[in-house]
């Protein structure tokens, strides 16, 4: 019987590049898994402290001025969280990170030929702003769903809302959080905003670069008026000290 040793010796060099590629792939997968795990490890520690957003970090790296002064939720004007919840996530107090009902409505609208609109909850926006803003939209959306569920599990609703109101972009030139947004738009603290001012800030949240609470257009004023009415009936799951 012929010895297969020669065949093995000839095949071995050809297998070496494949083995090296597999080793590199395993290393890349381990790195990717570690990066994906970081938000899940960090999120429980955000019960306290004053976290910043990924966009704030990116602005700082680019040398763009960032203005943010943290204000605890109980110190804010009660109109502010109510208006933001009414505008951004009416079911914030009842869902667990994802508003499946709103998502189904968006899917139904698209299937019927309607325009694609957002259905992100405040929790999803916190997940995006804290950890995922630097990713392409499709990848970010896929990662956003499980992370929002995790954030809702490990953080109280009050804390999620407090973080959002302190990291959301609320001005055209590096203003982040309710305090910086209020100071820029109205010249006074977020602790003092009126119901109308709170609704104006909520109305610019989708695009503070193009919408202005400082110089609101007639359309923005009308939208803010709608949010003022909605805020009066929105369900609260956070304490109001005033």
């Amino acid at each position: 019987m012929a010895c297969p040793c020669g065949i093995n010796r000839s095949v071995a060099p050809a297998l070496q590049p494949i083995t090296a590629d597999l080793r590199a792939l395993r290393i890349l997968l381990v790195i990717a898994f570690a990066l994906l795990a970081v938000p899940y490890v960090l999120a429980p520690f955000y019960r306290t402290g004053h976290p910043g957003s990924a966009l704030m970090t990116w602005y700082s790296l680019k040398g763009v001025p960032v203005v943010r002064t943290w204000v605890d939720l109980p110190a804010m004007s009660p109109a502010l969280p109510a208006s933001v919840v009414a505008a951004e996530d009416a079911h914030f107090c009842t869902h667990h990170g994802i508003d499946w009902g709103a998502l189904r409505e968006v899917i139904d609208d698209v299937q019927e030929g309607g325009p694609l609109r957002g259905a992100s909850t405040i929790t999803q926006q916190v997940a995006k702003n804290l950890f995922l803003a630097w990713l392409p939209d499709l990848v970010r959306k896929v990662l956003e769903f499980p992370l929002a569920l995790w954030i809702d599990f490990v953080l109280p609703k009050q804390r999620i809302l407090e973080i959002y109101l302190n990291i959301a972009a609320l001005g055209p030139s590096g203003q982040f959080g309710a305090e910086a947004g209020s100071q820029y738009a109205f010249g006074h603290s977020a602790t003092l905003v009126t119901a109308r001012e709170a609704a104006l800030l909520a109305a610019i949240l989708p695009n503070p670069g193009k919408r202005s609470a400082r110089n609101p257009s007639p359309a923005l004023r009308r939208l803010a008026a709608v949010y003022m009415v909605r805020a009066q009936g929105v369900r609260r799951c956070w304490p109001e000290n005033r």
Side-chain angles (χ1 to χ4, degrees):
M1 181 181 295
C3 177
C5 299
I7 296 176
N8 290 340
R9 291 193 191 98
S10 64
V11 171
L15 290 177
Q16 287 177 358
I18 298 175
T19 303
D21 290 344
L22 290 174
R23 188 180 299 113
L25 179 60
R26 283 198 296 269
I27 293 172
L28 289 175
L29 288 174
V30 169
I31 293 173
F33 179 79
L35 291 174
L36 290 174
V38 167
Y40 292 87
V41 174
L42 291 180
F45 293 97
Y46 285 167
R47 282 178 168 266
T48 60
H50 300 162
S53 70
L55 188 56
M56 290 167 62
T57 302
W58 177 241
Y59 273 31
S60 298
L61 291 173
K62 292 196 301 181
V64 178
V66 172
V67 182
R68 198 282 290 269
T69 301
W70 185 279
V71 177
D72 292 338
L73 186 63
M76 294 182 190
S77 165
L80 195 48
S83 293
V84 169
V85 170
E88 293 285 286
D89 188 2
H91 300 120
F92 173 72
C93 290
T94 56
H95 65 63
H96 296 289
I98 305 294
D99 189 342
W100 299 108
L103 191 59
R104 280 192 295 271
E105 289 178 8
V106 170
I107 294 171
D108 290 342
D109 287 347
V110 172
Q111 289 176 340
E112 293 173 4
L116 181 64
R117 56 185 174 85
S120 292
T121 64
I122 285 174
T123 314
Q124 285 176 267
Q125 293 179 61
V126 167
K128 178 190 75 174
N129 290 345
L130 285 177
F131 304 113
L132 307 175
W134 52 279
L135 292 171
D137 286 348
L138 182 59
V139 176
R140 174 175 55 77
K141 276 296 180 185
V142 171
L143 299 178
E144 209 174 82
F145 274 71
L147 183 55
L149 294 171
W150 175 246
I151 288 173
D152 188 86
F153 179 72
V154 299
L155 296 180
K157 289 286 188 181
Q158 176 183 351
R159 180 59 176 171
I160 294 170
L161 185 57
E162 182 175 68
I163 291 174
Y164 181 63
L165 288 170
N166 279 284
I167 64 174
L170 278 167
S173 49
Q175 290 85 14
F176 288 88
E179 180 67 14
S182 178
Q183 292 286 359
Y184 175 81
F186 314 121
H188 56 70
S189 173
T191 63
L192 302 173
V193 296
T194 65
R196 174 184 173 276
E197 291 169 342
L200 284 170
L201 286 175
I204 71 168
L205 272 169
N207 196 340
K210 293 185 177 179
R211 298 182 181 184
S212 174
R214 191 175 190 173
N215 299 299
S217 65
L220 193 70
R221 290 193 185 98
R222 289 193 295 271
L223 184 60
V226 171
Y227 292 157
M228 281 181 65
V229 174
R230 289 182 183 176
Q232 293 173 9
V234 76
R235 180 174 177 177
R236 269 78 164 167
C237 50
W238 60 91
E240 292 184 336
N241 295 337
R242 293 185 285 165

